[in-house]
Amino acid sequence: MKLRAVLPPMKSIDEHKQLPNNVASLQIIETRFLELIAQQMGFSYELMLPVDGQFGLRQPNGSWTGIIGMIQRDEADLSVAHLAITKQRLQAIDFSDSYWAQDQSFMTELPPLLPKTYFFTYPFTLAVWLAVLSVMAIVTFFLVPGGSFGTVLMTVMRGLCRQPLTIRSDKTIASRLMLGHWLLFANFVTLSYCAVLLSFLTVPLRNKGVETIDDLCRAVKKGSYKALVPKGSSILPHITNSDYKNWQELGKAILKNHWEYDTREGIDNYFQYGTALIGHKMRFRGFNISRRFISKDSFGTWNVGVALNRRFCCKKRLNLLLGRMGGAGLYQKIFEEEFFKASLGQQNSQSDSLNKQEASSASLSIDDLYGVFALLVEGYIVAGVALLLELVWNYVCHIRARHHV
């Protein structure tokens, strides 16, 4: 018995054989699973692909696109293409029992690095910096009787810089307690600052990116992001008809702007900052993209089954086989083998870049300390301007004194 079997959308039947070894392709996984099913059930098959490159989406006139349409029109007998089992699709074709579950999420590019100009301010939040400055002002105010305000302030700042203090405070217990607690406070603040600053210099900091579905909805609403869905996927109707208002707005934006991506093309063609690709996590994990971020949020989880023509003769036998294969973990074994091979290829391809990064991170460059030098230059400029104003003021006072004489 020879059956017509449809694979997931790709450019050609043999495309999965030409993929690099650092990519875990959905087509490879599903093809291996189809071969295993065919061997156990004793049938041969003719491989087919959806001409439009879609999985299957219902049209306003009731017809179906993609793989679902091919099976509905009796152009194919079955499809092992990681298809989600939905109520709409069950009205058009039949499905086997579930053999896997797909988790629909989204992937974005990692946000850009934070500028290093003022990296020395990053260890503390604005609230912490204001709190430290407030404590400095309070301590200086109460210790002024031991000297001038400016002198005491500079001395208190030396405590934050872990320099010896020479404050002549009065002999009251209150002033001594205040000074002692200030020294303890300054020590903890300085140690915390140094520890966090060192980690920031070691690991580059990035801006906060789009991490959750709510973040994505807000970013799309602002116009700073666009969200792409696979052509002919069931995820778009799910988002559009959701009970969540922000999901509905996201779905309407996708429909209005025709934000779609072709799964036959490489993700690199669509992968850029400001673009989120929606799809199941297994597809995203298979690509060798080091700068990717896969959200932990989920639009939902769907059971995956073998799509069947309603005339398919051996559904019960197939379900029995899938149950046994699921119990033995055969699909998971194929899945893990392909991802393991891809991870080995990714490690080899990234080893050179990692070595370069390690070499470059061994010593600090001028770019890493640019902010410190900029602060020093700014301070000298301000000091120079202050000196110039003092000279001008002294000159004016001297002229006035001569006129009075």
Side-chain angles (χ1 to χ4, degrees):
M1 179 173 60
K2 188 172 185 178
L3 301 178
R4 298 163 297 174
V6 187
L7 290 177
M10 52 182 154
K11 293 181 179 179
S12 65
I13 295 292
D14 297 327
E15 181 187 4
H16 65 281
K17 299 178 182 179
Q18 304 169 2
L19 292 173
N21 59 358
N22 59 357
V23 174
S25 170
L26 176 66
Q27 289 82 356
I28 297 176
I29 296 173
E30 298 301 293
T31 302
R32 288 186 57 185
F33 192 56
L34 173 61
E35 291 175 356
L36 196 59
I37 294 174
Q39 290 175 4
Q40 296 300 317
M41 295 190 65
F43 66 81
S44 60
Y45 54 85
E46 174 191 357
L47 293 178
M48 305 176 66
L49 295 175
V51 179
D52 56 6
Q54 299 187 21
F55 290 93
L57 193 63
R58 186 177 181 179
Q59 300 300 297
N61 60 5
S63 63
W64 284 81
T65 64
I67 299 174
I68 305 298
M70 293 178 66
I71 297 177
Q72 184 192 39
R73 295 188 298 268
D74 201 23
E75 298 174 5
D77 299 305
L78 59 87
S79 174
V80 182
H82 210 77
L83 287 170
I85 304 174
T86 65
K87 291 182 179 180
Q88 271 196 340
R89 288 176 174 176
L90 284 171
Q91 295 174 1
I93 63 172
D94 205 354
F95 273 93
S96 69
D97 291 342
S98 174
Y99 64 85
W100 198 251
Q102 59 174 232
D103 187 12
Q104 296 281 351
S105 186
F106 68 90
M107 178 178 69
T108 63
E109 186 178 17
L110 288 173
L113 296 173
L114 285 172
K116 295 183 178 181
T117 306
Y118 298 105
F119 75 95
F120 51 86
T121 64
Y122 295 157
F124 293 156
T125 62
L126 178 60
V128 175
W129 281 117
L130 292 176
V132 172
L133 293 176
S134 300
V135 173
M136 285 179 57
I138 294 172
V139 172
T140 303
F141 176 78
F142 281 99
L143 295 179
V144 162
S148 65
F149 185 86
T151 302
V152 175
L153 178 61
M154 293 300 297
T155 306
V156 169
M157 290 181 63
R158 291 175 64 185
L160 280 177
C161 298
R162 307 184 73 176
Q163 299 296 316
L165 299 180
T166 55
I167 297 180
R168 295 181 180 180
S169 62
D170 54 30
K171 297 181 180 180
T172 62
I173 297 178
S175 63
R176 292 180 178 180
L177 286 174
M178 179 167 291
L179 180 59
H181 282 81
W182 161 252
L183 294 176
L184 185 63
F185 170 81
N187 187 48
F188 278 111
V189 168
T190 303
L191 291 175
S192 302
Y193 178 84
C194 293
V196 178
L197 181 64
L198 180 61
S199 66
F200 283 178
L201 289 174
T202 305
V203 180
L205 293 177
R206 295 185 179 275
N207 287 302
K208 187 180 185 304
V210 174
E211 300 179 355
T212 65
I213 294 177
D214 288 339
D215 291 342
L216 178 61
C217 293
R218 285 192 292 267
V220 170
K221 189 174 182 179
K222 290 179 181 178
S224 58
Y225 258 80
K226 59 181 180 180
L228 278 61
V229 297
K231 286 184 178 180
S233 171
S234 60
I235 183 62
L236 182 55
H238 173 74
I239 296 175
T240 306
N241 300 322
S242 171
D243 295 332
Y244 301 107
K245 184 178 179 181
N246 55 346
W247 288 27
Q248 295 175 9
E249 294 175 351
L250 175 63
K252 291 177 182 178
I254 295 173
L255 284 172
K256 179 181 178 181
N257 297 283
H258 303 286
W259 286 338
E260 296 179 330
Y261 66 94
D262 194 334
T263 55
R264 296 173 296 182
E265 302 290 339
I267 284 184
D268 284 337
N269 296 336
Y270 306 94
F271 194 67
Q272 57 185 344
Y273 187 69
T275 300
L277 302 182
I278 298 176
H280 55 82
K281 292 182 179 180
M282 189 173 79
R283 176 182 290 116
F284 297 148
R285 285 180 55 196
F287 285 88
N288 180 23
I289 302 177
S290 58
R291 63 186 189 278
R292 68 186 176 186
F293 171 80
I294 302 176
S295 174
K296 295 181 180 179
D297 268 10
S298 174
F299 286 101
T301 302
W302 284 263
N303 288 323
V304 173
V306 179
L308 301 172
N309 192 305
R310 293 194 184 278
R311 299 180 182 179
F312 186 73
C313 62
C314 312
K315 180 180 177 180
K316 290 184 179 180
R317 185 182 171 194
L318 175 61
N319 287 336
L320 180 62
L321 175 62
L322 290 177
R324 292 175 177 175
M325 295 171 72
L330 294 181
Y331 186 83
Q332 184 175 1
K333 180 177 181 294
I334 296 173
F335 171 83
E336 291 179 350
E337 283 180 355
E338 292 300 325
F339 274 90
F340 178 72
K341 289 190 292 185
S343 65
L344 291 179
Q346 292 173 10
Q347 290 176 7
N348 293 332
S349 63
Q350 294 175 1
S351 59
D352 293 338
S353 60
L354 289 175
N355 291 334
K356 292 179 181 179
Q357 290 178 2
E358 291 176 358
S360 62
S361 62
S363 58
L364 296 177
S365 64
I366 190 66
D367 292 335
D368 296 324
L369 300 177
Y370 173 78
V372 176
F373 287 103
L375 179 64
L376 180 63
V377 172
E378 290 174 2
Y380 283 164
I381 292 175
V382 172
V385 172
L387 176 61
L388 181 61
L389 292 176
E390 287 181 355
L391 293 175
V392 172
W393 177 252
N394 289 334
Y395 178 76
V396 171
C397 292
H398 180 68
I399 295 298
R400 287 181 178 178
R402 290 181 60 183
H403 283 303
H404 285 298
V405 173

